[in-house]
Amino acid sequence: MGIRLNNDELDQDGVKRPEELPSPVEILQSLIRFNTTNPPGEEAACIMYIRQLLEDTGIETRTCSLDPARPNLLARIKGSGEAPPLLLYGHVDVVGTGKQDWSRDPFGGNIEGGFVWGRGALDMKGGLAMLVSAFLRAHVRKLPLRGDLILAIVSDEEAGGEYGASFLVGRHADYFAGVKYALGEFGGFAFHALGKTFYPIMVAEKQLCWLKATIRGDGGHGSMGNPGADCMAQLGNMLQSLSRNKLPIRVTPAARLMIESMAAALPLLPALLLRGLAASPAVRPHPEAAGGKGRDVRPASA
């Protein structure tokens, strides 16, 4: 597997290029075979693999790290300056596989049935392989770029970003000066409804909302029960109440645009039902009314 380049693509600035660049599938297989489970992460070997791919084609790179075992990689292809830079970014760490029943080696990167199998194939080494591949080809094929193309490969996405994105923003924000648009982790999975296939574009994510509650009650001792009055019982009641009661739905502009766009492609009755999800609270059906697909758009807390 691989893409063979034309002869005029093999030499640029005096640097010889290999006859083939690895395909996105080959890159993905290699990425999966690095165990970058976070925690602990230990993404350095995987980052260095990507760095070598870039430098083999003559692309200059730099690494920045809060911890040498958890570096971040930056690279840039210069454009004409007519447009702002475009940022391509992704992370190499993955969530764990502990206590999970895998039918295949999660770090094997093997191809079976037309699929590449392994931890991170979707989140997000598959996307990362595409970004790296596109970046390599933009450089080797001398694409006329109106703006700089920036590639940022980060560590520590799955556990807070302290060593990755947060570190880059805090210490190296100047590298991203002028960036207005970015392509990153892909969340727009195909959505099938009534014979139609939709490809949502992710422009807004469900967000965390941290709350702090203070519960006051009578002091006591484990040997002296006081049912219902102690803080632990009050906390239990509060958590059960939050679980039973659904929080109100607030339709954001991005969600409204997505719903209206999808409804425009559906027959009348399904379109009316879908548009109802963006209607006023007084007449809005709960997402479960739309069946399995409706549950995909319900609030995370519901």
Side-chain angles (χ1 to χ4, degrees), residues 4-54:
R4 185 172 298 278
L5 306 177
N6 296 325
N7 288 335
D8 61 353
E9 295 175 332
L10 302 182
D11 190 284
Q12 180 176 325
D13 299 331
V15 179
K16 290 293 182 181
R17 307 298 184 221
E19 290 191 357
E20 292 184 345
L21 288 178
S23 71
V25 170
E26 291 173 312
I27 295 174
L28 172 56
Q29 288 181 285
S30 296
L31 293 175
I32 288 174
R33 289 164 184 160
F34 291 99
N35 185 344
T36 52
T37 299
N38 185 14
E42 298 178 348
E43 301 93 340
C46 188
I47 292 285
M48 292 305 108
Y49 161 73
I50 299 173
R51 183 180 190 178
Q52 193 64 54
L53 284 179
L54 300 177

mmCIF file of all heavy atoms in Angstrom, residues 4-54:
data_model
loop_
_atom_site.group_PDB
_atom_site.id
_atom_site.type_symbol
_atom_site.label_atom_id
_atom_site.label_comp_id
_atom_site.label_asym_id
_atom_site.label_seq_id
_atom_site.Cartn_x
_atom_site.Cartn_y
_atom_site.Cartn_z
ATOM 1 N N ARG A 4 2.389 6.219 -5.118
ATOM 2 C CA ARG A 4 3.635 6.475 -5.836
ATOM 3 C C ARG A 4 3.614 7.900 -6.381
ATOM 4 O O ARG A 4 2.645 8.348 -6.979
ATOM 5 C CB ARG A 4 3.810 5.476 -6.983
ATOM 6 C CG ARG A 4 5.146 5.614 -7.695
ATOM 7 C CD ARG A 4 5.353 4.477 -8.680
ATOM 8 N NE ARG A 4 5.384 3.183 -8.002
ATOM 9 C CZ ARG A 4 6.465 2.699 -7.397
ATOM 10 N NH1 ARG A 4 7.591 3.399 -7.380
ATOM 11 N NH2 ARG A 4 6.437 1.528 -6.798
ATOM 12 N N LEU A 5 4.695 8.607 -6.168
ATOM 13 C CA LEU A 5 4.782 9.996 -6.596
ATOM 14 C C LEU A 5 5.414 10.103 -7.967
ATOM 15 O O LEU A 5 6.206 9.263 -8.380
ATOM 16 C CB LEU A 5 5.619 10.800 -5.583
ATOM 17 C CG LEU A 5 5.150 10.694 -4.131
ATOM 18 C CD1 LEU A 5 6.093 11.464 -3.236
ATOM 19 C CD2 LEU A 5 3.740 11.203 -3.978
ATOM 20 N N ASN A 6 5.073 11.177 -8.659
ATOM 21 C CA ASN A 6 5.711 11.447 -9.943
ATOM 22 C C ASN A 6 7.158 11.862 -9.709
ATOM 23 O O ASN A 6 7.531 12.343 -8.639
ATOM 24 C CB ASN A 6 4.967 12.559 -10.676
ATOM 25 C CG ASN A 6 3.548 12.144 -11.016
ATOM 26 O OD1 ASN A 6 3.286 10.987 -11.311
ATOM 27 N ND2 ASN A 6 2.628 13.096 -10.947
ATOM 28 N N ASN A 7 7.991 11.727 -10.734
ATOM 29 C CA ASN A 7 9.414 12.030 -10.595
ATOM 30 C C ASN A 7 9.656 13.466 -10.159
ATOM 31 O O ASN A 7 10.590 13.752 -9.417
ATOM 32 C CB ASN A 7 10.145 11.763 -11.922
ATOM 33 C CG ASN A 7 10.258 10.266 -12.186
ATOM 34 O OD1 ASN A 7 10.229 9.469 -11.254
ATOM 35 N ND2 ASN A 7 10.366 9.889 -13.440
ATOM 36 N N ASP A 8 8.801 14.382 -10.619
ATOM 37 C CA ASP A 8 9.023 15.776 -10.259
ATOM 38 C C ASP A 8 8.652 16.066 -8.814
ATOM 39 O O ASP A 8 8.831 17.179 -8.332
ATOM 40 C CB ASP A 8 8.239 16.712 -11.194
ATOM 41 C CG ASP A 8 6.738 16.481 -11.120
ATOM 42 O OD1 ASP A 8 6.310 15.513 -10.458
ATOM 43 O OD2 ASP A 8 5.996 17.263 -11.738
ATOM 44 N N GLU A 9 8.124 15.046 -8.126
ATOM 45 C CA GLU A 9 7.781 15.228 -6.720
ATOM 46 C C GLU A 9 8.851 14.656 -5.793
ATOM 47 O O GLU A 9 8.724 14.696 -4.592
ATOM 48 C CB GLU A 9 6.442 14.546 -6.422
ATOM 49 C CG GLU A 9 5.265 15.186 -7.157
ATOM 50 C CD GLU A 9 3.991 14.405 -6.933
ATOM 51 O OE1 GLU A 9 4.091 13.180 -6.702
ATOM 52 O OE2 GLU A 9 2.913 14.992 -6.994
ATOM 53 N N LEU A 10 9.917 14.107 -6.359
ATOM 54 C CA LEU A 10 10.895 13.401 -5.549
ATOM 55 C C LEU A 10 12.004 14.282 -5.029
ATOM 56 O O LEU A 10 12.772 13.870 -4.181
ATOM 57 C CB LEU A 10 11.518 12.253 -6.361
ATOM 58 C CG LEU A 10 10.512 11.225 -6.900
ATOM 59 C CD1 LEU A 10 11.256 10.124 -7.640
ATOM 60 C CD2 LEU A 10 9.696 10.630 -5.772
ATOM 61 N N ASP A 11 12.105 15.503 -5.527
ATOM 62 C CA ASP A 11 13.211 16.348 -5.099
ATOM 63 C C ASP A 11 12.712 17.770 -4.919
ATOM 64 O O ASP A 11 12.094 18.350 -5.799
ATOM 65 C CB ASP A 11 14.341 16.320 -6.140
ATOM 66 C CG ASP A 11 15.589 17.001 -5.605
ATOM 67 O OD1 ASP A 11 15.597 18.233 -5.558
ATOM 68 O OD2 ASP A 11 16.528 16.284 -5.238
ATOM 69 N N GLN A 12 12.936 18.302 -3.764
ATOM 70 C CA GLN A 12 12.517 19.662 -3.469
ATOM 71 C C GLN A 12 13.529 20.270 -2.513
ATOM 72 O O GLN A 12 13.878 19.659 -1.510
ATOM 73 C CB GLN A 12 11.109 19.661 -2.843
ATOM 74 C CG GLN A 12 10.593 21.047 -2.508
ATOM 75 C CD GLN A 12 9.171 20.974 -1.979
ATOM 76 O OE1 GLN A 12 8.383 20.147 -2.410
ATOM 77 N NE2 GLN A 12 8.855 21.830 -1.047
ATOM 78 N N ASP A 13 14.020 21.438 -2.854
ATOM 79 C CA ASP A 13 15.030 22.105 -2.028
ATOM 80 C C ASP A 13 16.252 21.217 -1.812
ATOM 81 O O ASP A 13 16.898 21.269 -0.761
ATOM 82 C CB ASP A 13 14.430 22.491 -0.670
ATOM 83 C CG ASP A 13 13.267 23.465 -0.820
ATOM 84 O OD1 ASP A 13 13.265 24.248 -1.796
ATOM 85 O OD2 ASP A 13 12.379 23.412 0.029
ATOM 86 N N GLY A 14 16.554 20.382 -2.802
ATOM 87 C CA GLY A 14 17.750 19.549 -2.703
ATOM 88 C C GLY A 14 17.609 18.330 -1.828
ATOM 89 O O GLY A 14 18.577 17.608 -1.611
ATOM 90 N N VAL A 15 16.404 18.083 -1.299
ATOM 91 C CA VAL A 15 16.194 16.938 -0.427
ATOM 92 C C VAL A 15 15.512 15.832 -1.222
ATOM 93 O O VAL A 15 14.457 16.034 -1.799
ATOM 94 C CB VAL A 15 15.314 17.313 0.791
ATOM 95 C CG1 VAL A 15 15.084 16.091 1.680
ATOM 96 C CG2 VAL A 15 15.968 18.433 1.584
ATOM 97 N N LYS A 16 16.108 14.670 -1.261
ATOM 98 C CA LYS A 16 15.531 13.542 -1.985
ATOM 99 C C LYS A 16 14.328 12.994 -1.214
ATOM 100 O O LYS A 16 14.371 12.840 0.004
ATOM 101 C CB LYS A 16 16.567 12.438 -2.184
ATOM 102 C CG LYS A 16 17.670 12.804 -3.157
ATOM 103 C CD LYS A 16 17.136 12.940 -4.565
ATOM 104 C CE LYS A 16 18.251 13.260 -5.540
ATOM 105 N NZ LYS A 16 17.745 13.412 -6.918
ATOM 106 N N ARG A 17 13.268 12.665 -1.965
ATOM 107 C CA ARG A 17 12.079 12.103 -1.368
ATOM 108 C C ARG A 17 12.026 10.599 -1.635
ATOM 109 O O ARG A 17 12.486 10.141 -2.670
ATOM 110 C CB ARG A 17 10.822 12.749 -1.969
ATOM 111 C CG ARG A 17 10.833 14.276 -1.898
ATOM 112 C CD ARG A 17 10.867 14.743 -0.455
ATOM 113 N NE ARG A 17 10.776 16.189 -0.400
ATOM 114 C CZ ARG A 17 11.488 16.924 0.416
ATOM 115 N NH1 ARG A 17 12.345 16.351 1.220
ATOM 116 N NH2 ARG A 17 11.359 18.226 0.426
ATOM 117 N N PRO A 18 11.418 9.811 -0.768
ATOM 118 C CA PRO A 18 11.215 8.403 -1.082
ATOM 119 C C PRO A 18 10.212 8.285 -2.226
ATOM 120 O O PRO A 18 9.412 9.181 -2.457
ATOM 121 C CB PRO A 18 10.638 7.837 0.218
ATOM 122 C CG PRO A 18 10.050 9.007 0.912
ATOM 123 C CD PRO A 18 10.909 10.181 0.566
ATOM 124 N N GLU A 19 10.281 7.195 -2.948
ATOM 125 C CA GLU A 19 9.375 7.023 -4.078
ATOM 126 C C GLU A 19 7.927 6.883 -3.636
ATOM 127 O O GLU A 19 7.015 7.161 -4.408
ATOM 128 C CB GLU A 19 9.779 5.801 -4.900
ATOM 129 C CG GLU A 19 11.075 5.994 -5.669
ATOM 130 C CD GLU A 19 11.316 4.881 -6.661
ATOM 131 O OE1 GLU A 19 10.506 3.937 -6.699
ATOM 132 O OE2 GLU A 19 12.309 4.966 -7.372
ATOM 133 N N GLU A 20 7.724 6.464 -2.418
ATOM 134 C CA GLU A 20 6.357 6.290 -1.921
ATOM 135 C C GLU A 20 6.197 6.982 -0.576
ATOM 136 O O GLU A 20 7.106 6.979 0.243
ATOM 137 C CB GLU A 20 6.028 4.805 -1.761
ATOM 138 C CG GLU A 20 5.927 4.061 -3.072
ATOM 139 C CD GLU A 20 5.503 2.620 -2.815
ATOM 140 O OE1 GLU A 20 5.585 2.172 -1.656
ATOM 141 O OE2 GLU A 20 5.096 1.977 -3.766
ATOM 142 N N LEU A 21 5.022 7.543 -0.397
ATOM 143 C CA LEU A 21 4.616 7.979 0.936
ATOM 144 C C LEU A 21 3.698 6.905 1.505
ATOM 145 O O LEU A 21 2.949 6.270 0.766
ATOM 146 C CB LEU A 21 3.855 9.306 0.853
ATOM 147 C CG LEU A 21 4.656 10.559 0.525
ATOM 148 C CD1 LEU A 21 3.716 11.757 0.430
ATOM 149 C CD2 LEU A 21 5.719 10.818 1.585
ATOM 150 N N PRO A 22 3.739 6.685 2.785
ATOM 151 C CA PRO A 22 2.820 5.698 3.363
ATOM 152 C C PRO A 22 1.378 6.162 3.196
ATOM 153 O O PRO A 22 1.080 7.351 3.274
ATOM 154 C CB PRO A 22 3.234 5.639 4.838
ATOM 155 C CG PRO A 22 3.904 6.951 5.095
ATOM 156 C CD PRO A 22 4.588 7.322 3.809
ATOM 157 N N SER A 23 0.496 5.220 2.971
ATOM 158 C CA SER A 23 -0.925 5.550 2.848
ATOM 159 C C SER A 23 -1.491 5.866 4.229
ATOM 160 O O SER A 23 -0.896 5.507 5.257
ATOM 161 C CB SER A 23 -1.685 4.379 2.245
ATOM 162 O OG SER A 23 -1.777 3.318 3.187
ATOM 163 N N PRO A 24 -2.665 6.515 4.289
ATOM 164 C CA PRO A 24 -3.290 6.738 5.595
ATOM 165 C C PRO A 24 -3.512 5.441 6.371
ATOM 166 O O PRO A 24 -3.387 5.431 7.595
ATOM 167 C CB PRO A 24 -4.622 7.412 5.225
ATOM 168 C CG PRO A 24 -4.346 8.088 3.924
ATOM 169 C CD PRO A 24 -3.400 7.187 3.197
ATOM 170 N N VAL A 25 -3.816 4.360 5.665
ATOM 171 C CA VAL A 25 -4.034 3.079 6.345
ATOM 172 C C VAL A 25 -2.736 2.585 6.991
ATOM 173 O O VAL A 25 -2.731 2.127 8.140
ATOM 174 C CB VAL A 25 -4.569 2.019 5.353
ATOM 175 C CG1 VAL A 25 -4.552 0.629 5.988
ATOM 176 C CG2 VAL A 25 -5.982 2.377 4.914
ATOM 177 N N GLU A 26 -1.634 2.694 6.270
ATOM 178 C CA GLU A 26 -0.347 2.267 6.828
ATOM 179 C C GLU A 26 0.040 3.119 8.032
ATOM 180 O O GLU A 26 0.548 2.601 9.041
ATOM 181 C CB GLU A 26 0.729 2.355 5.752
ATOM 182 C CG GLU A 26 0.578 1.327 4.644
ATOM 183 C CD GLU A 26 1.550 1.548 3.502
ATOM 184 O OE1 GLU A 26 1.678 2.691 3.026
ATOM 185 O OE2 GLU A 26 2.200 0.585 3.088
ATOM 186 N N ILE A 27 -0.198 4.408 7.929
ATOM 187 C CA ILE A 27 0.108 5.297 9.061
ATOM 188 C C ILE A 27 -0.746 4.914 10.261
ATOM 189 O O ILE A 27 -0.263 4.827 11.399
ATOM 190 C CB ILE A 27 -0.108 6.765 8.672
ATOM 191 C CG1 ILE A 27 0.893 7.186 7.590
ATOM 192 C CG2 ILE A 27 0.037 7.674 9.897
ATOM 193 C CD1 ILE A 27 0.660 8.582 7.036
ATOM 194 N N LEU A 28 -2.037 4.664 10.023
ATOM 195 C CA LEU A 28 -2.937 4.287 11.108
ATOM 196 C C LEU A 28 -2.477 2.994 11.783
ATOM 197 O O LEU A 28 -2.449 2.901 13.014
ATOM 198 C CB LEU A 28 -4.359 4.118 10.580
ATOM 199 C CG LEU A 28 -5.386 3.548 11.560
ATOM 200 C CD1 LEU A 28 -5.459 4.394 12.827
ATOM 201 C CD2 LEU A 28 -6.750 3.438 10.897
ATOM 202 N N GLN A 29 -2.108 2.006 10.994
ATOM 203 C CA GLN A 29 -1.637 0.754 11.584
ATOM 204 C C GLN A 29 -0.432 0.982 12.486
ATOM 205 O O GLN A 29 -0.349 0.435 13.589
ATOM 206 C CB GLN A 29 -1.278 -0.232 10.470
ATOM 207 C CG GLN A 29 -2.482 -0.800 9.733
ATOM 208 C CD GLN A 29 -2.056 -1.787 8.655
ATOM 209 O OE1 GLN A 29 -1.568 -1.402 7.591
ATOM 210 N NE2 GLN A 29 -2.230 -3.068 8.940
ATOM 211 N N SER A 30 0.492 1.806 12.016
ATOM 212 C CA SER A 30 1.679 2.087 12.832
ATOM 213 C C SER A 30 1.317 2.834 14.109
ATOM 214 O O SER A 30 1.842 2.534 15.192
ATOM 215 C CB SER A 30 2.686 2.906 12.012
ATOM 216 O OG SER A 30 3.161 2.168 10.902
ATOM 217 N N LEU A 31 0.415 3.793 14.022
ATOM 218 C CA LEU A 31 0.019 4.559 15.203
ATOM 219 C C LEU A 31 -0.640 3.670 16.248
ATOM 220 O O LEU A 31 -0.375 3.800 17.455
ATOM 221 C CB LEU A 31 -0.946 5.686 14.794
ATOM 222 C CG LEU A 31 -0.373 6.811 13.933
ATOM 223 C CD1 LEU A 31 -1.483 7.780 13.526
ATOM 224 C CD2 LEU A 31 0.735 7.566 14.661
ATOM 225 N N ILE A 32 -1.501 2.763 15.805
ATOM 226 C CA ILE A 32 -2.199 1.881 16.737
ATOM 227 C C ILE A 32 -1.212 1.002 17.504
ATOM 228 O O ILE A 32 -1.417 0.689 18.685
ATOM 229 C CB ILE A 32 -3.223 1.008 15.985
ATOM 230 C CG1 ILE A 32 -4.408 1.868 15.540
ATOM 231 C CG2 ILE A 32 -3.708 -0.158 16.851
ATOM 232 C CD1 ILE A 32 -5.401 1.139 14.660
ATOM 233 N N ARG A 33 -0.121 0.627 16.846
ATOM 234 C CA ARG A 33 0.837 -0.296 17.462
ATOM 235 C C ARG A 33 1.670 0.349 18.564
ATOM 236 O O ARG A 33 2.422 -0.343 19.261
ATOM 237 C CB ARG A 33 1.717 -0.908 16.370
ATOM 238 C CG ARG A 33 0.928 -1.889 15.500
ATOM 239 C CD ARG A 33 1.599 -2.236 14.203
ATOM 240 N NE ARG A 33 0.717 -3.112 13.412
ATOM 241 C CZ ARG A 33 0.829 -3.287 12.102
ATOM 242 N NH1 ARG A 33 1.785 -2.651 11.423
ATOM 243 N NH2 ARG A 33 -0.002 -4.078 11.461
ATOM 244 N N PHE A 34 1.556 1.659 18.731
ATOM 245 C CA PHE A 34 2.157 2.329 19.880
ATOM 246 C C PHE A 34 1.118 2.346 20.999
ATOM 247 O O PHE A 34 0.037 2.903 20.842
ATOM 248 C CB PHE A 34 2.566 3.768 19.539
ATOM 249 C CG PHE A 34 3.716 3.864 18.588
ATOM 250 C CD1 PHE A 34 3.491 4.087 17.231
ATOM 251 C CD2 PHE A 34 5.026 3.740 19.024
ATOM 252 C CE1 PHE A 34 4.552 4.185 16.341
ATOM 253 C CE2 PHE A 34 6.088 3.841 18.138
ATOM 254 C CZ PHE A 34 5.853 4.059 16.797
ATOM 255 N N ASN A 35 1.433 1.746 22.121
ATOM 256 C CA ASN A 35 0.516 1.738 23.253
ATOM 257 C C ASN A 35 0.621 3.077 23.980
ATOM 258 O O ASN A 35 1.532 3.304 24.780
ATOM 259 C CB ASN A 35 0.849 0.588 24.204
ATOM 260 C CG ASN A 35 -0.174 0.476 25.332
ATOM 261 O OD1 ASN A 35 -0.942 1.397 25.590
ATOM 262 N ND2 ASN A 35 -0.177 -0.654 26.015
ATOM 263 N N THR A 36 -0.307 3.958 23.670
ATOM 264 C CA THR A 36 -0.297 5.304 24.262
ATOM 265 C C THR A 36 -1.458 5.468 25.240
ATOM 266 O O THR A 36 -2.030 6.554 25.357
ATOM 267 C CB THR A 36 -0.375 6.371 23.159
ATOM 268 O OG1 THR A 36 -1.501 6.086 22.293
ATOM 269 C CG2 THR A 36 0.893 6.387 22.326
ATOM 270 N N THR A 37 -1.813 4.391 25.933
ATOM 271 C CA THR A 37 -2.907 4.439 26.896
ATOM 272 C C THR A 37 -2.644 5.526 27.936
ATOM 273 O O THR A 37 -1.575 5.598 28.534
ATOM 274 C CB THR A 37 -3.057 3.073 27.597
ATOM 275 O OG1 THR A 37 -3.347 2.076 26.613
ATOM 276 C CG2 THR A 37 -4.163 3.117 28.623
ATOM 277 N N ASN A 38 -3.641 6.363 28.150
ATOM 278 C CA ASN A 38 -3.528 7.490 29.070
ATOM 279 C C ASN A 38 -4.573 7.367 30.170
ATOM 280 O O ASN A 38 -5.779 7.396 29.873
ATOM 281 C CB ASN A 38 -3.727 8.800 28.299
ATOM 282 C CG ASN A 38 -3.500 10.020 29.161
ATOM 283 O OD1 ASN A 38 -2.966 9.950 30.245
ATOM 284 N ND2 ASN A 38 -3.929 11.177 28.659
ATOM 285 N N PRO A 39 -4.166 7.276 31.440
ATOM 286 C CA PRO A 39 -2.785 7.300 31.915
ATOM 287 C C PRO A 39 -2.080 5.963 31.683
ATOM 288 O O PRO A 39 -2.761 4.968 31.527
ATOM 289 C CB PRO A 39 -2.955 7.596 33.413
ATOM 290 C CG PRO A 39 -4.309 7.040 33.761
ATOM 291 C CD PRO A 39 -5.154 7.228 32.537
ATOM 292 N N PRO A 40 -0.748 5.996 31.624
ATOM 293 C CA PRO A 40 0.170 7.119 31.855
ATOM 294 C C PRO A 40 0.472 7.948 30.610
ATOM 295 O O PRO A 40 1.098 8.989 30.690
ATOM 296 C CB PRO A 40 1.439 6.409 32.346
ATOM 297 C CG PRO A 40 1.431 5.114 31.593
ATOM 298 C CD PRO A 40 -0.002 4.713 31.490
ATOM 299 N N GLY A 41 0.082 7.477 29.426
ATOM 300 C CA GLY A 41 0.376 8.232 28.211
ATOM 301 C C GLY A 41 1.638 7.731 27.536
ATOM 302 O O GLY A 41 1.595 6.908 26.632
ATOM 303 N N GLU A 42 2.749 8.269 27.959
ATOM 304 C CA GLU A 42 4.055 7.877 27.394
ATOM 305 C C GLU A 42 4.008 7.908 25.866
ATOM 306 O O GLU A 42 4.323 6.942 25.187
ATOM 307 C CB GLU A 42 4.457 6.494 27.914
ATOM 308 C CG GLU A 42 4.632 6.475 29.428
ATOM 309 C CD GLU A 42 4.993 5.097 29.968
ATOM 310 O OE1 GLU A 42 4.880 4.112 29.209
ATOM 311 O OE2 GLU A 42 5.379 5.017 31.149
ATOM 312 N N GLU A 43 3.640 9.064 25.333
ATOM 313 C CA GLU A 43 3.398 9.216 23.903
ATOM 314 C C GLU A 43 4.650 9.478 23.086
ATOM 315 O O GLU A 43 4.580 9.598 21.858
ATOM 316 C CB GLU A 43 2.408 10.374 23.672
ATOM 317 C CG GLU A 43 1.054 10.225 24.347
ATOM 318 C CD GLU A 43 0.965 10.869 25.710
ATOM 319 O OE1 GLU A 43 2.027 11.116 26.331
ATOM 320 O OE2 GLU A 43 -0.153 11.138 26.167
ATOM 321 N N ALA A 44 5.813 9.577 23.716
ATOM 322 C CA ALA A 44 7.022 10.036 23.030
ATOM 323 C C ALA A 44 7.353 9.197 21.797
ATOM 324 O O ALA A 44 7.653 9.740 20.726
ATOM 325 C CB ALA A 44 8.210 10.047 23.999
ATOM 326 N N ALA A 45 7.321 7.872 21.904
ATOM 327 C CA ALA A 45 7.699 7.025 20.767
ATOM 328 C C ALA A 45 6.760 7.249 19.584
ATOM 329 O O ALA A 45 7.191 7.290 18.428
ATOM 330 C CB ALA A 45 7.700 5.557 21.187
ATOM 331 N N CYS A 46 5.478 7.381 19.859
ATOM 332 C CA CYS A 46 4.498 7.613 18.793
ATOM 333 C C CYS A 46 4.721 8.976 18.148
ATOM 334 O O CYS A 46 4.677 9.118 16.916
ATOM 335 C CB CYS A 46 3.094 7.512 19.372
ATOM 336 S SG CYS A 46 1.780 7.549 18.136
ATOM 337 N N ILE A 47 4.969 9.981 18.964
ATOM 338 C CA ILE A 47 5.249 11.332 18.446
ATOM 339 C C ILE A 47 6.508 11.320 17.587
ATOM 340 O O ILE A 47 6.558 11.939 16.510
ATOM 341 C CB ILE A 47 5.410 12.330 19.609
ATOM 342 C CG1 ILE A 47 4.064 12.545 20.325
ATOM 343 C CG2 ILE A 47 5.980 13.658 19.120
ATOM 344 C CD1 ILE A 47 3.075 13.405 19.603
ATOM 345 N N MET A 48 7.531 10.599 18.022
ATOM 346 C CA MET A 48 8.772 10.552 17.252
ATOM 347 C C MET A 48 8.590 9.826 15.914
ATOM 348 O O MET A 48 9.254 10.150 14.935
ATOM 349 C CB MET A 48 9.876 9.871 18.069
ATOM 350 C CG MET A 48 10.337 10.675 19.286
ATOM 351 S SD MET A 48 10.889 12.371 18.869
ATOM 352 C CE MET A 48 9.520 13.336 19.547
ATOM 353 N N TYR A 49 7.679 8.863 15.872
ATOM 354 C CA TYR A 49 7.375 8.196 14.602
ATOM 355 C C TYR A 49 6.808 9.207 13.597
ATOM 356 O O TYR A 49 7.221 9.250 12.431
ATOM 357 C CB TYR A 49 6.373 7.062 14.839
ATOM 358 C CG TYR A 49 5.649 6.621 13.590
ATOM 359 C CD1 TYR A 49 6.297 5.874 12.600
ATOM 360 C CD2 TYR A 49 4.309 6.972 13.382
ATOM 361 C CE1 TYR A 49 5.637 5.490 11.443
ATOM 362 C CE2 TYR A 49 3.645 6.592 12.228
ATOM 363 C CZ TYR A 49 4.309 5.852 11.262
ATOM 364 O OH TYR A 49 3.655 5.476 10.113
ATOM 365 N N ILE A 50 5.874 10.024 14.056
ATOM 366 C CA ILE A 50 5.294 11.042 13.165
ATOM 367 C C ILE A 50 6.353 12.065 12.775
ATOM 368 O O ILE A 50 6.436 12.491 11.614
ATOM 369 C CB ILE A 50 4.095 11.730 13.851
ATOM 370 C CG1 ILE A 50 3.006 10.704 14.166
ATOM 371 C CG2 ILE A 50 3.542 12.853 12.976
ATOM 372 C CD1 ILE A 50 1.868 11.244 14.991
ATOM 373 N N ARG A 51 7.179 12.448 13.739
ATOM 374 C CA ARG A 51 8.250 13.405 13.439
ATOM 375 C C ARG A 51 9.169 12.875 12.344
ATOM 376 O O ARG A 51 9.548 13.613 11.431
ATOM 377 C CB ARG A 51 9.049 13.697 14.707
ATOM 378 C CG ARG A 51 10.147 14.732 14.515
ATOM 379 C CD ARG A 51 10.891 14.975 15.818
ATOM 380 N NE ARG A 51 11.776 16.123 15.707
ATOM 381 C CZ ARG A 51 12.510 16.582 16.711
ATOM 382 N NH1 ARG A 51 12.462 16.005 17.901
ATOM 383 N NH2 ARG A 51 13.290 17.641 16.539
ATOM 384 N N GLN A 52 9.502 11.580 12.407
ATOM 385 C CA GLN A 52 10.383 10.998 11.401
ATOM 386 C C GLN A 52 9.720 10.991 10.029
ATOM 387 O O GLN A 52 10.374 11.253 9.007
ATOM 388 C CB GLN A 52 10.756 9.569 11.798
ATOM 389 C CG GLN A 52 11.905 8.989 10.986
ATOM 390 C CD GLN A 52 13.204 9.750 11.200
ATOM 391 O OE1 GLN A 52 13.630 9.922 12.345
ATOM 392 N NE2 GLN A 52 13.817 10.232 10.130
ATOM 393 N N LEU A 53 8.413 10.698 9.984
ATOM 394 C CA LEU A 53 7.700 10.754 8.714
ATOM 395 C C LEU A 53 7.824 12.129 8.069
ATOM 396 O O LEU A 53 8.057 12.251 6.861
ATOM 397 C CB LEU A 53 6.208 10.438 8.932
ATOM 398 C CG LEU A 53 5.777 8.990 9.158
ATOM 399 C CD1 LEU A 53 4.269 8.937 9.376
ATOM 400 C CD2 LEU A 53 6.177 8.120 7.975
ATOM 401 N N LEU A 54 7.642 13.162 8.872
ATOM 402 C CA LEU A 54 7.693 14.530 8.352
ATOM 403 C C LEU A 54 9.111 14.906 7.915
ATOM 404 O O LEU A 54 9.315 15.458 6.821
ATOM 405 C CB LEU A 54 7.187 15.507 9.419
ATOM 406 C CG LEU A 54 5.747 15.309 9.916
ATOM 407 C CD1 LEU A 54 5.432 16.305 11.019
ATOM 408 C CD2 LEU A 54 4.744 15.434 8.782
#
